[in-house]
Amino acid sequence: MNRFLQIISVVALISACGGKPVTPEPKPIDPVVDSEGDKAGETWADPTGVKGGKYISNGKIQIGVDPARGGTIFHFSEAGKKKNLVNHYDEGREIQQSYYGWADGSSWNGQSWVWNPVQGGSASGVKGKIVSDDSTDEKIEITSTPVLWASGEMASDCVMKEVITLEGEVAHIKFTFKYSGSNKGDARHQELPAFFVDWDLKNFIYYDGGTAWSSTKKNSYVPARLDQTGKNEYKNLPERWAAYVDDSGWGIGLYSPACSQCTLYRFGAGPGGAKNSSCSYFAPIATMAVTANWTYTYDVYITIGTSDEIRQRFSDIHSKK
């Protein structure tokens, strides 16, 4: 797995953004053909499917979750085209919940780690488990038990829930995390959520032009590769959204109203593809401490289109709140 978010306290972050690079050796994953594609009499244009994946579509967009990895979002595409924009190389990729707490004596990739429940599973491949599935044809609603990233132990004192609905060209996801234990962690940057997409979407688009929604200006650049620099980058997000797009300006964006900052990087030299180790990543972040009997709920929105279309859809959502 490639979990590169640096685990730093607020004080440490102020003194130095970044830290020791985390660059594990990629592990091979055999491509599979998606069962949903089989049912439709189609095969995937590239090996991005997951056998047993659960999907919903509204004729405009299609989203899929992986029941074998705690219901993590592994697929997002335009309906009918099935060009998956989400990277799901391993249990720590995809679009999913992940939280950071206290030092628990664990280590990963040669460095000390912390209590870190991850929806999809652990670095060693132990997978999150679905405990209830109340999905319908129009909605995905899954509750799962996450796994501690470094140790591979089931986080039995944690519950993660996601409710996914489709509204036009936008997927709305409500994430909920419940910790029923008695420990208290330090305030840390929390990924809200982790967002891994195709390496071919190399251009990071965001707005940092002053007052939110006040102009048409957008920033665009290609983030540095973590495997070369050894550290994450950080950007302010006054409008609470960002996107990765290709050179034509088309790609995938995420709006996380709870977060005004993000961490980001790219990893690897390619090739792109949903199941390859190279990826583009960002995570909206908020600084919070996981405490005893802690519950946290937040909403995010995902869409596909040009950077102008992405921003306009998120602006429309913002204006309705």
Side-chain angles (χ1 to χ4, degrees), residues 48-121:
T48 61
V50 166
K51 290 182 178 178
K54 180 185 290 289
Y55 301 87
I56 55 173
S57 175
N58 63 357
K60 295 182 178 180
I61 53 175
Q62 174 174 291
I63 196 165
V65 302
D66 186 353
R69 288 177 170 174
T72 51
I73 298 169
F74 81 95
H75 177 94
F76 192 55
S77 71
E78 294 177 314
K81 296 186 178 179
K82 296 187 176 178
K83 166 61 177 172
N84 185 12
L85 302 187
V86 180
N87 181 279
H88 58 101
Y89 171 73
D90 62 22
E91 284 72 19
R93 298 287 184 90
E94 310 180 299
I95 301 172
Q96 63 168 311
Q97 296 189 71
S98 169
Y99 299 87
Y100 300 90
W102 45 88
D104 63 356
S106 65
S107 63
W108 172 63
N109 199 47
Q111 66 177 348
S112 297
W113 210 245
V114 299
W115 181 86
N116 176 204
V118 176
Q119 183 181 355

Side-chain angles (χ1 to χ4, degrees), residues 141-163:
E141 183 173 345
I142 286 174
T143 303
S144 61
T145 301
V147 182
L148 297 181
W149 176 248
S151 70
E153 298 176 5
M154 297 301 296
S156 57
D157 50 5
C158 299
V159 172
M160 290 182 175
K161 182 177 181 179
E162 64 186 4
V163 180

Side-chain angles (χ1 to χ4, degrees):
M1 179 307 176
N2 299 294
R3 284 199 78 69
F4 306 122
L5 181 66
Q6 304 299 332
I7 301 183
I8 337 172
S9 69
V10 178
V11 174
L13 179 64
I14 293 172
S15 63
C17 287
K20 181 179 178 181
V22 181
T23 54
E25 290 296 320
K27 61 178 184 290
I29 297 181
D30 295 330
V32 296
V33 176
D34 181 80
S35 60
E36 187 74 10
D38 291 343
K39 291 177 183 177
E42 302 170 330
T43 56
W44 295 86
D46 48 8
T48 61
V50 166
K51 290 182 178 178
K54 180 185 290 289
Y55 301 87
I56 55 173
S57 175
N58 63 357
K60 295 182 178 180
I61 53 175
Q62 174 174 291
I63 196 165
V65 302
D66 186 353
R69 288 177 170 174
T72 51
I73 298 169
F74 81 95
H75 177 94
F76 192 55
S77 71
E78 294 177 314
K81 296 186 178 179
K82 296 187 176 178
K83 166 61 177 172
N84 185 12
L85 302 187
V86 180
N87 181 279
H88 58 101
Y89 171 73
D90 62 22
E91 284 72 19
R93 298 287 184 90
E94 310 180 299
I95 301 172
Q96 63 168 311
Q97 296 189 71
S98 169
Y99 299 87
Y100 300 90
W102 45 88
D104 63 356
S106 65
S107 63
W108 172 63
N109 199 47
Q111 66 177 348
S112 297
W113 210 245
V114 299
W115 181 86
N116 176 204
V118 176
Q119 183 181 355
S122 74
S124 58
V126 179
K127 294 173 172 54
K129 303 295 184 184
I130 290 178
V131 297
S132 67
D133 183 348
D134 298 307
S135 303
T136 67
D137 291 341
E138 291 78 33
K139 175 185 70 172
I140 293 175
E141 183 173 345
I142 286 174
T143 303
S144 61
T145 301
V147 182
L148 297 181
W149 176 248
S151 70
E153 298 176 5
M154 297 301 296
S156 57
D157 50 5
C158 299
V159 172
M160 290 182 175
K161 182 177 181 179
E162 64 186 4
V163 180
I164 305 171
T165 54
L166 305 181
E167 304 164 5
E169 293 85 2
V170 178
H172 174 197
I173 304 105
K174 181 179 288 292
F175 289 117
T176 300
F177 175 67
K178 295 182 179 181
Y179 167 63
S180 60
S182 58
N183 287 335
K184 182 181 185 300
D186 297 325
R188 301 182 185 274
H189 279 169
Q190 309 294 351
E191 298 170 288
L192 301 177
F195 189 72
F196 288 88
V197 301
D198 193 331
W199 182 87
D200 288 338
L201 306 175
K202 67 179 183 180
N203 303 292
F204 186 71
I205 308 294
Y206 67 107
Y207 175 83
D208 192 15
T211 304
W213 316 108
S214 63
S215 76
T216 59
K217 178 184 176 182
K218 296 190 297 294
N219 300 58
S220 176
Y221 82 110
V222 179
R225 286 170 48 187
L226 183 71
D227 50 313
Q228 293 181 330
T229 67
K231 62 181 181 180
N232 292 40
E233 297 181 54
Y234 292 83
K235 296 294 180 184
N236 292 323
L237 301 178
E239 295 183 345
R240 316 298 176 99
W241 70 273
Y244 273 111
V245 302
D246 61 20
D247 286 337
S248 74
W250 177 90
I252 181 172
L254 180 143
Y255 173 47
S256 183
C259 302
S260 60
Q261 188 183 26
C262 75
T263 184
L264 69 150
Y265 56 76
R266 299 183 78 230
F267 177 78
K275 294 198 73 173
N276 290 327
S277 63
S278 295
C279 66
S280 295
Y281 158 88
F282 83 90
I285 53 176
T287 304
M288 298 180 290
V290 178
T291 60
N293 298 310
W294 191 67
T295 298
Y296 186 72
T297 297
Y298 66 100
D299 295 275
V300 300
Y301 304 85
I302 306 171
T303 192
I304 293 173
T306 66
S307 60
D308 287 341
E309 290 171 337
I310 289 169
R311 186 183 187 218
Q312 184 59 56
R313 290 167 192 159
F314 293 155
S315 176
D316 293 343
I317 294 169
H318 167 76
S319 66
K320 294 175 182 177
K321 292 187 174 297

